[in-house]
Amino acid sequence: MLDVIDFMERMGGDAQLSQASPSELTLALADTGISTELQSAMLARDAQQVEMLLGTKAVCMLVAPPGPPGFGPHHAPFPVAPPPPLPEEEWEQYQGEH
Amino acid sequence: MDATRSSGSLVCVGLGMTLGAHLGPLARSHIEQADVVFAALSDGVVELWLNRMHADVRSLQPYYREGCSRMDTYWQMVGAMLAEVRAGKRVCGVFYGHPGVFAWVPHKAIEMARNEGYHAHMEPGVSAEDCLYADLGIDPGAYGCQHFEASQLLFYQRRIDPTAYLILWQVGVVGDQSMTRFSTNAAYRQVLVDVLARDYPLDHEVIIYRAATLPIERPRIERIALGVLAQAKIGMAETIVIPPARPMQADPEILARLNALDRAVGMPS
């Protein structure tokens, strides 16, 4: 019996299953212990519904600063340059202040 | 600090873009053999998957706070990982896609760990860029390919080559000077359109692309005209691909030099 994470791991790494038609996916899901609701969401390829049913939270993605540290014209309109690496004691102080 | 005797270490690995499809054996081994794993991933389902690979997976998500500068958040993420390295732990940072592409935290954490004398390195992963080439059928060798962080294209005077592909990342937050927002609106994207209109006609086709993060998903591939890009729904995960708008121009002077060299070495030109 596979749960939804096991099934998706298998699906992601299986040449046939990753390209499965709706009917093939229906058959493959029928052999699992995944709930009917989750199966329907997976068949609909509805990732948001899957996340909701699993109770996972939306995540923030990493966003890179728009330039290398310290780079930019003199009048850079945004603080692209992070502070220099902090020694351990200063880092603890930084954490305390923020 | 003399950390050369310490057993603490740091490796940053990529989980790839799609659950179950892209994780390499070396990255998985680093995850499984670490003392502690930190994670910044593309969605909650992928976090659940990672939780099965190690008993002590610590999400970096709680460091995000509304209205807080992302740079402060990123420094806190770096600090959290380094604290465990300094405590002598084998630390593995797991990031979606490639840990070194559009990801400031892994680079900074590795740099700082090395500066303090710890062993630290990065293992590559399958990035959104890799998926993009496969899903859109683009070979960057055919016409060339420029990549820009979208805001950088607005903040700085960059030189666009419209004979090559242009790929713009992080368009969902284009124009954000504060580094605090998680999206910017159509007015900001219109500024981007106006900048792009210097080199492309407004009816030029652009592609909105998002790689699949779950194997049940299909990538988002939506073709629209540049002129309506501002009105399109574009989130944090979307990338804009702009195909070439003009043919490449031959360089007769350089070709003549190469022909002369060919003749000198007896090669037909």
Side-chain angles (χ1 to χ4, degrees), chain B residues 239-255:
Chain B
T239 298
I240 301 301
V241 179
I242 306 180
R246 298 209 296 259
M248 290 183 279
Q249 301 295 306
D251 188 332
E253 187 183 330
I254 295 298
L255 287 169

Side-chain angles (χ1 to χ4, degrees), chain B residues 30-31 33-37 54 56 58 88-92:
Chain B
H30 278 298
I31 293 167
Q33 292 178 22
D35 295 318
V36 55
V37 173
H54 197 283
D56 188 3
R58 304 178 194 178
K89 304 271 182 66
R90 285 173 302 174
V91 176
C92 183

Side-chain angles (χ1 to χ4, degrees), chain A residues 66-73 76 78 80-81, chain B residues 152 156 158:
Chain A
F71 174 82
F78 55 93
V80 292
Chain B
Q152 194 181 101
Y156 299 94
R158 303 308 305 260

Side-chain angles (χ1 to χ4, degrees), chain B residues 149-151 153-155 168-177 181-198 202 206-209 220 222 224-242:
Chain B
E149 197 283 329
S151 292
L153 203 60
L154 304 190
F155 298 157
L168 300 177
W169 302 90
Q170 304 183 168
V171 176
V173 287
V174 69
D176 174 27
Q177 300 178 65
R181 285 181 277 185
F182 294 98
S183 66
T184 50
N185 65 25
Y188 289 82
R189 288 195 295 280
Q190 186 58 49
V191 179
L192 175 66
V193 170
D194 293 345
V195 168
L196 292 170
R198 295 170 184 163
L202 288 173
V206 303
I207 306 165
I208 302 170
Y209 174 77
R220 178 183 179 190
E222 188 179 338
I224 61 170
L226 172 62
V228 296
L229 179 63
Q231 286 73 45
K233 189 180 174 190
I234 297 174
M236 297 277 274
E238 265 76 7
T239 298
I240 301 301
V241 179
I242 306 180

